[in-house]
Amino acid sequence: EVQLVESGGGLVQPGRSLRLSCTASGFTFGDYAMSWVRQAPGKGLEWVGFIRSKAYGATTEYAASVKGRFTISRDDSKSIAYLQMNSLKTEDTAVYYCTRDGSLPYWGQGTLVTVSS
Amino acid sequence: DIQMTQSPSSLSASVGDRVTITCRASQSISTYLNWYQQKPGKAPKLLIYAASSLQSGVPSRFSGSGSGTDFSLTISSLQPEDFATYYCQQSFSTPRTFGGGTKVEIK
């Protein structure tokens, strides 16, 4: 069974950093690109970015709203994807979901990040 | 970026009704289109992938169709547990954009 479990969310002050983790199981993690998607309170879904598999160079792409502040990485030996969030803003407050990219996507349950002073 | 335009943004329907939600892409995305259902406080649930393939475990009253730029999600007979918000998402290119959502409410 495919499972994705996000962790690392919490309350953080504006301007600070936070790192989210996504631990995967039930599939060959290294074969898949992994994405992050977020949802601000009461709003729709927003794609944050993704990282390709190593077969495709583990390259990354980001939404314009987070480019230069957020970094996605992966550790295939541990089946974990990371979302490093720097220079956080109040508008980054959202539930962050990890998803397996590809023709049959899977989602985690999400982790809440609250950016507030 | 590919824009995904979903309509309507909300609808009211009764149990047993046939409901159709549409999603239009700003350029051709072949059949790289997924549909999700989301209930309050929960993660989105995949219903349809590759435009028309039913995810395992999803009731057969849900169906998807379309290719190119125009897609639709149909619920053949609305059930009480189907009242939720539905989103389309294209997986043809990055950024992997979502439609704005359709909230299905009880009439």
Side-chain angles (χ1 to χ4, degrees):
Chain A
E1 178 193 7
V2 172
Q3 285 198 320
L4 299 170
V5 179
E6 302 92 339
S7 59
L11 175 63
V12 60
Q13 293 179 326
R16 304 298 291 264
S17 298
L18 199 64
R19 188 179 80 162
L20 305 183
S21 299
C22 169
T23 303
S25 61
F27 64 100
T28 305
F29 180 78
D31 288 350
Y32 289 86
M34 298 297 295
S35 290
W36 288 91
V37 174
R38 68 183 180 182
Q39 186 170 38
K43 303 296 185 182
L45 300 167
E46 179 188 18
W47 182 82
V48 172
F50 87 158
I51 184 165
R52 294 179 177 87
S53 66
K54 283 192 175 170
Y56 291 89
T59 53
T60 54
E61 297 196 30
Y62 300 95
S65 57
V66 307
K67 196 169 185 178
R69 299 188 299 124
F70 289 13
T71 301
I72 298 173
S73 60
R74 63 189 299 153
D75 184 337
D76 290 353
S77 68
K78 296 181 179 178
S79 297
I80 300 177
Y82 300 100
L83 177 63
Q84 177 68 44
M85 303 184 291
N86 298 333
S87 303
L88 281 161
K89 306 175 181 180
T90 55
E91 53 263 41
D92 294 319
T93 293
V95 175
Y96 285 74
Y97 297 100
C98 164
T99 80
R100 189 186 82 173
D101 203 72
S103 58
L104 182 55
Y106 282 87
W107 290 52
Q109 84 290 348
T111 188
L112 176 63
V113 173
T114 302
V115 184
S116 174
S117 54
Chain B
D1 297 0
I2 297 175
Q3 307 303 316
M4 304 301 293
T5 303
Q6 210 175 314
S7 62
S9 56
S10 66
L11 66 90
S12 295
S14 301
V15 172
D17 283 354
R18 182 182 181 89
V19 169
T20 298
I21 299 167
T22 64
C23 186
R24 174 165 288 176
S26 60
Q27 64 187 75
S28 178
I29 58 170
S30 184
T31 57
Y32 290 88
L33 191 282
N34 303 316
W35 288 99
Y36 295 93
Q37 176 194 67
Q38 188 179 34
K39 297 182 178 179
K42 300 294 187 183
K45 173 187 175 183
L46 180 68
L47 300 176
I48 302 287
Y49 62 97
S52 60
S53 296
L54 190 68
Q55 167 66 326
S56 176
V58 174
S60 59
R61 63 180 179 273
F62 291 93
S63 63
S65 65
S67 66
T69 60
D70 293 315
F71 302 86
S72 63
L73 172 71
T74 297
I75 309 172
S76 60
S77 177
L78 200 64
Q79 298 301 299
E81 60 268 31
D82 300 337
F83 293 94
T85 300
Y86 294 82
Y87 294 94
C88 61
Q89 182 201 21
Q90 63 85 14
S91 57
F92 179 79
S93 66
T94 57
R96 300 220 190 292
T97 40
F98 291 88
T102 296
K103 188 172 184 179
V104 177
E105 299 176 304
I106 302 172
K107 182 182 282 185

